[in-house]
Amino acid sequence: MNKSIRKAAVIGSGIMGSGIAAHLANVGIQCLLLDRVPQVLTDDEVRKGYTLDHPVVRNRFATGAVEKLSKSTPSPLYDITFAERITPGNLEDHLSQIVDVDWVIEVVVENLQVKKDLLSNVERYWKPGMIVSSNTSGISIHEMVADCSEAFQRNFLGTHFFNPPRYMKLLEIIPGPLTDPAIVQQMRTLGEKVLGKGVVLAKDTPNFIANRIGTYGLLITLQAMVEQGFTVEEVDAVTGPAMGRPKSATFRTLDIVGLDTFIHVAENVYANVTDEMEKAAFTVPEVMSNMVEKGWLGEKSGQGFYLKKKGASGSEILSLQLSTLDYVPQKKVTSGSLEAAKLAKGARAKTKALITAGDRYSEFAWNILKHVLIYSAEKVGEIADSINEIDEAMKWGFNWELGPFETWDAIGLVKSVGRMEKEGLSVPTWVKEWIAQGNQSFYQKENGTLYYVSEQSYKQVEQPTEIISLRSLKEQNKIVKGNEGASLIDLGDGVACLEFHSPNNAIGADILMMIQHSLEEVRSNFEGLIIANQGRNFCVGANIMLLLMEAQDEEWDEIDSIIRMFQNTMYKVKRFDKPVVAAPHRMTLGGGVEACMPADQVIAAAETYYGLVEFGVGLIPAGGGCKELTMRASQHVGNTDADLQPYINHIFETIGMAKVSTSGHDAKRLGYLRSSDRIIANQDHLIYEAKQSVLRISKAGYEPIPQERFQVVGSEGKAVLQLGALGMRESGYISDHDLLIAKKLAHILAGGDVPAGTLVSEQYMLDLEREAFLSLCGEPKTQQRMHHMLTKGKALRN
C-alpha cells in the first residue's frame, strides 16, 4: 500500500483530463493519456491520405490534447518539456497498457452509465494494488462501481481535482463504502506531498463539499439579486474582496466556469436531494437557462454576464441587464459599506465592516451570507465530518479568504445567530446548543494551536509536520529579534527564519538592517538561517517609492548609501559562516531575487515567478544580481571548454527583457536558479523543507564559500552585446532610453573595458553595478518609468 505512484493512466483527454495529466507530468509521474477513437476524418487527414485505421487518426484526440498543453496560457505545465512525460493513445488499442501503471484516473463525460461502462472495461485489466479513481465533480462514487468486484471497489475512490489542476489547490478525496482506508491515506499523502494539493476528505454526496456550498452560494446570490433589483456590477462589487472573496466575485466567476457547466453542477444536486426547500434553492434561474440557449456561456463563448466590446477608443467591458438581456456600460459602484470594507485590514475586518454598515449593499451582503452560513452548518456530517474540512474546501476550491465557519466567527457568532433568529431563520440545533454551552466561536487558539468545534467540544486541527506556521510561532513568542520590516523567528532544532513583513515585502533599510542583525544572532545561537515568509508574495523587490523620492530630491549620496548597504548585506549573507537557505514563493522580483542569490541553496515553490525586472523601471539590478549571474556563467565555463560569450548573451537578454519565470522549473531554464536548487510542489511545506536543508548542510560540516576571482568577456564581449541592442533599436523594438540602459547593462556584464578573459573580483563587479544604477536614477525618463510603475502598476516604455 505504501508503494509510490510512478506511472499513471488518465482516461479522457478533454481540458480537465489533459490538465490532470499535465500536472502529473509536472511532478515527475509518467502518464498514459487515452481517449476515444475518432469516427470521422478531418480535412487535413483526408489530404494526407490517412484512413480511420491510421495510428495518427486513432490517437488524434489525445495527441491533440498534449500538443495544446504547450501552447495554452496560462500553461498547465511547469516546463513545456514535461509534455514528453505524457504518452497519447486510444481506448481501443492501448487500454491494455494500464496493466503497467500504478494509478488509473477516469476523467470522461459526467454521465453515470458512461462511467460505469468504462470502469467495467478498466477492471478487465486491473491488477491487485492498482488504484483506480474518478475525477467526477458530483456523481456517486458508489454507484459507478456497484457492479464491479469487491476487490476492485476496495481500490476505488473519487479524486476530484479543481480546474485548472496545476493552479487550483483543492483536491477532494471521496472514499466509497468499501474503499480501503490505507488507499485513502496513501492518496491523501500523494496529494499533499507530491501533487502539492490541499486535500479534504468528502462524503459521497451530490457535488461533495466545495461545489455543494459554492453552487448554493451563487444561486442564493442570483435569487437575491433578482428579487432586490441589483445589477451585475453591483453584485460583483459586494461579493468580491469586500466579502473576502476573489476579484472574480459572482458573475466573473460564472463566466470563467461556464454557464453550461454551472447549470450541470446545480442540476446534479437538484436531481439527487429529496428536501423540497433544498431543491428550490438549487433551481436554476430562468435567465441563466435563456443565456445558455442563446449560446452565452461565458468566456469560452465570448460573452456571458460580461461582454468585451472593441470600439474606436479601445476595449470596453459591458455588463448584462438581466431584465432585458441587453449589454450596457458598467456604472461605478460606491457606497459607505464598500468604502468601510475597503479601508478595513484583513478579510475578517472587511466582512464585518461590510455587513454592519447599514446601507443597501450591506443588507444585500447580509442576506446572502446568512443563508450560506446556515446551509453550511446544516451540511456538517452530511458532506464532510468537520467544519474545518468545509472551510478548507471553500478556501482552496473557491479562493475564499475565509471559510463559512471562519466567517461566522469573524462577524460574531452569538450576535449574528441572534440576528438570524430575529429575522425568522431556523439555525441548526447543534449551533444553538454550542452557544448555549457558553461558547463564543467555532474556533479558538491556545498557545499557537488551533481548535475547532466537533461533537460539542473543541478538537485540535491536525497539521502535518511538514507545515510550519510562522504566525503560530510568533503567537508562541518565538520572535528573537524584529523591526518594522522583518523578524527573526526561532523554528526550533537550531534553525532560525528571517521573515519579511514590510508592505508587499519590499526591501528597504529596515529589512537590510534586520538581515545583518540576524546574521549576528545566528552566528552566536543557531545552526543556520532560512530566509522565507508566508505573505502573498515572497518579495516584489526594492522600495521604488523611496528611490524615486531620493532621486527627485537629487540625494545621490543617499542612494549610493542605500545601494552599498544592499550590496554589503548580500555579500555578508554569501560569506556567512553558517548555512543559509532561501525559500521564495510566488512573485519574487528584483531585489527579492538578489536576496535569494547569495544563499547556499534555494528551495522554491513550484509556483514561483522569479525575475530581475529592474529594466522595466529604467534601472539595472544593483544588489549583486548582474555579478552573481556573470560569476555563475564564468564558473560553469571554467569547468569546460565552452565559450563564455553565449552565456553572457543569454544573461543580457534575460535581464534586458525583464524576463520572469512562469514556475520554479522555468526559473532554472532561465538560469536564475542553479541545478542544485530544489523545487517543492506544496508551498505550505516550503519552510519545513528549507529547515531540513539547513540541518543537512550543517550536519555535513559547513564551510563558507571562498572568495575567488572570475573571468569576464571584456570590451570585445561588450561590443557584441551593444551591437545586438543597437540592432533592436534600429528595428524599432526598443526606445532610445532602452538602448541607453542596455549599454550600461552590457558594460557591467562584460566586466567593463578590460581585455577578454580578465579575472575580476566580486567587489569590482558590484562597483560597476552601483555606478550604472546611480547614473540611471538621475535620468528623467527612468524617473518617469518609476513613477508610472508606482501609479499604474505596469511598465512604461518611454
Side-chain angles (χ1 to χ4, degrees), residues 100-119:
D100 297 323
V101 308
D102 305 302
W103 178 21
V104 176
I105 314 170
E106 168 275 305
V107 200
V108 299
V109 64
E110 288 286 85
N111 178 287
L112 177 59
Q113 192 57 52
V114 171
K115 290 180 183 292
K116 285 172 70 83
D117 292 344
L118 173 63
L119 292 168

Side-chain angles (χ1 to χ4, degrees), residues 80-100:
I80 58 172
T81 62
F82 291 174
E84 297 169 4
R85 298 171 179 170
I86 305 173
T87 302
N90 68 78
L91 283 167
E92 293 182 15
D93 301 330
H94 306 114
L95 185 60
S96 61
Q97 293 182 15
I98 68 172
V99 298
D100 297 323

Side-chain angles (χ1 to χ4, degrees), residues 638-653:
N639 297 323
T640 68
D641 295 327
D643 180 9
L644 178 59
Q645 186 69 48
Y647 292 91
I648 300 301
N649 294 348
H650 173 74
I651 295 168
F652 181 68
E653 179 182 308

Side-chain angles (χ1 to χ4, degrees), residues 404-445:
F405 297 97
E406 291 172 322
T407 300
W408 217 332
D409 280 356
I411 65 174
L413 173 60
V414 176
K415 187 175 181 179
S416 62
V417 166
R419 182 177 176 183
M420 291 171 184
E421 292 190 311
K422 188 176 180 180
E423 294 173 3
L425 295 177
S426 177
V427 178
T429 302
W430 76 265
V431 175
K432 292 190 288 185
E433 289 177 348
W434 179 245
I435 293 173
Q437 291 180 25
N439 297 295
Q440 301 285 316
S441 63
F442 292 116
Y443 290 91
Q444 72 171 12
K445 186 173 277 190

